[in-house]
Amino acid sequence: MTAVTHSTLFPQVPDSADAVLDGLDPEQRAVATALSGPVCVLAGAGTGKTRAITHRIAYGVRSGILQPASVLAVTFTNRAAGEMRGRLRQLGAGGVQARTFHSAALRQLQYFWPKAVGGDMPRLLERKAQLVAEAATRCRVRLDRNELRDVTAEIEWAKVTQTVPDDYPALVTKSGREAPRDPAETALLYGTYEQLKRDRGVIDFEDVLLLTVGILQDRADIADTVRRQYQHFVVDEYQDVSPLQQRLLDLWLGDRDTLCVVGDASQTIYSFTGATPDHLLNFRTRHPHATVVKLVRDYRSTPQVVHLANGLLAQARGRAAEHRLELISQRPAGPHPHYAEYADEPTEAEGTARRVRDLIDSGVPASEIAVLYRINAQSEVYEQALADAGVPYQMRGAERFFERPEVREAGLLLRGAARAGGHADPRLADADDVPSQVRAVLGGVGWTPQPPAGSGAVRDRWESLAALVRLAEDYVRAHPGATLADLVTELDERAGAQHAPTVEGVTLASLHAAKGLEWDAVFLVGLTDGMLPITYARTDEQIEEERRLLYVGVTRARTHLTLSWALSRTPGGRPSRRPTRFLDGLRPGTAAVLRHGTAPRPAQGGVERGTAPRQRATVRCRVCGRSLTDAGEIKLMRCEDCPSDLDEALYERLRDWRAEQARRQGQPAFCVFTDKTLMAIAEAVPGTEADLARIPGVGGRKLDRYGADVLALCAGREPEQEPEETSHDASEDSPEK
């Protein structure tokens, strides 16, 4: 499954470079047009970061500033790389390389190995767990399945931090890392695993990066070849880079600074893999003249969802929190987040399934609903509950869409039918258009107009085929004259880009696996202390990463958000659990936890070009306490959606008075006071000059000129009449945006 957007499935390719910029907001446009020097994009959840950087690449290519083959865009998952390739293709920049770090490194390693080392490159080990288990047997260490997974993860962490087996115990002590086993024993297993690899002539995925780094360090001629090929780099999710990936990036760059990075320190949730936001947070230090653009306009979530997300981060501490971005929703208001408490886990799952069923019955597609949990072991009870409720579901993390057997088979059949043509293939005799041709072909391998009952493999197969039918229907709507051969070409291109269609079915996924995705409705389940934060999160930084994990979960929701927990694990159990501490002060009926110090000031949106950010006092909502960033909200001293105590009669008297002042001065009304300033006055009803002066928008000159009149109106009196003026006095205030 790919992240779903509400844009046209098959948009028209922009007809010019300037057309690539259409529809971008000012900050996104600043990203797209910043094509020289180092660029750092700090992008909050839902602010269109992928849109900004893909339009940046496409604008550079379409305007002739960037050559497609000279651009390398890297990210962290095959899904994200596939989505980026798909978007670039739709923008007319299909020749750009968009790959994961591992994919880009493997491609270079395969190409340069004969020249740098000689002979054939060692075989790539797809999964290392089996070899780690063999290493444990040689060392006479017994590992169960969970322990094997933990040791494998520790080996991966050691390698991406460029730590050899002998140095692993000392690094664990120095870094304060909570090792799952005795570090000396893990070092022994790590060393034995490495020896087994050498004996078998195989390498793992971390070796791909290490060996590529080694070749580029040792062979200046090969490094020069790579640098001549790739001259411009874009790195997505930069908060997730490991020290090893950063080293590879530095070698790709050489002494150049043609680098654009994008990330959000508040979405750093993979530190257990070696990821660190330090490279993102230190970018300005390494590149003092960098252009920094902050994206804070949230186009994904409603103000109610964004309000909760901002509240979570407002309680955060640590270096990442110091650079948090406070989101500003750009969407209409929606329902408030729903909080649900259950007696036990099966009841929680059943209640969740009922609410999912209700949403589907109300018109929300199943593919636009997700149930997210902290660990994969929590999924079983939700699988059962959804199946009992007759709700189709899919597990996030399953095999890629285009690699599913039924999809591969369907592709072969459609390709054969396209070659044969309608007259030669009897299945297409009565099919008048492309969608009906697709339905006719896929009808022979399991597609039916109505889905099969229940869940399981038969339903999964039908969902895959149904996704291809819907894709055909959408494709023909966008390309009325298309043929079956055109559709097959489109499918081939999508398979190459891993740009999968949407499969109907509720998504079940861990919070980690949900990163980068979004749905109309999200259920965050199992939110108890001990699960989130997880029991083994003990240090302050580990606790803060758990908070960020919940933040990621909240920001996956566009409109509907439900947060739930169970007081016991099993029916009849002792109700000893408590809801996650992260919701204290945010869910109804709870008070905020008082902590030492003040919360760090959130970063504002906008563009900074090679200068340190200007400090600005934080203005907080006088109703809910949230820090305010919108100019209009700052004038009102409250959030737009917070309750207002506006004196409407006073507001109307102020508007009439302002109109008369504007007429007498020959100026627009806003040059006297803006609407928001008048609303703030009518809400505060100041009684003294000092009270009036505290209202944003009332400067010293305006206080001297209009203060007596405004205070008279607030007191219920009529202001004294003044003689007509003929002079024109410029306003201190700018128009409302």
Side-chain angles (χ1 to χ4, degrees), residues 308 336-356 370-375 378 381-382 385 508 511 522-533 550 553-554 560-568 577-583 587-588:
L308 176 58
H336 286 281
H338 176 75
Y339 299 88
E341 182 174 281
Y342 296 93
D344 51 68
E345 288 183 5
T347 305
E348 182 182 7
E350 291 167 6
T352 300
R354 282 195 302 271
R355 291 184 65 85
V356 168
V371 178
L372 308 181
Y373 33 76
R374 175 62 178 84
I375 59 174
Q378 294 172 271
V381 66
Y382 292 94
L508 294 176
L511 287 165
V522 168
F523 292 80
L524 302 177
V525 299
L527 300 180
T528 59
D529 262 357
M531 186 57 73
L532 194 73
L550 179 56
V554 167
H560 305 279
L561 176 63
T562 297
L563 305 96
S564 65
W565 56 90
L567 298 179
S568 69
R577 294 173 170 177
R578 67 176 299 273
T580 174
R581 70 194 75 168
F582 299 144
L583 295 178
R587 62 185 178 90

Side-chain angles (χ1 to χ4, degrees), residues 354-428:
R354 282 195 302 271
R355 291 184 65 85
V356 168
R357 181 80 266 173
D358 290 343
L359 282 173
I360 294 174
D361 291 342
S362 71
V364 179
S367 60
E368 288 293 348
I369 302 174
V371 178
L372 308 181
Y373 33 76
R374 175 62 178 84
I375 59 174
N376 288 320
Q378 294 172 271
S379 73
E380 184 177 0
V381 66
Y382 292 94
E383 294 177 57
Q384 186 62 53
L386 291 172
D388 291 345
V391 175
Y393 65 87
Q394 56 177 330
M395 301 294 295
R396 174 77 185 133
E399 61 191 328
R400 300 181 197 171
F401 179 83
F402 287 104
E403 293 176 2
R404 297 176 186 177
E406 64 271 21
V407 175
R408 294 167 68 92
E409 180 184 8
L412 290 173
L413 291 173
L414 290 171
R415 191 172 294 108
R419 282 198 301 265
H423 299 292
D425 192 329
R427 293 173 298 184
L428 308 184

Side-chain angles (χ1 to χ4, degrees), residues 603-620:
Q604 312 298 310
V607 185
E608 300 165 11
R609 302 189 186 278
T611 59
R614 182 176 64 183
Q615 297 296 314
R616 176 177 173 178
T618 300
V619 178
R620 297 193 176 276

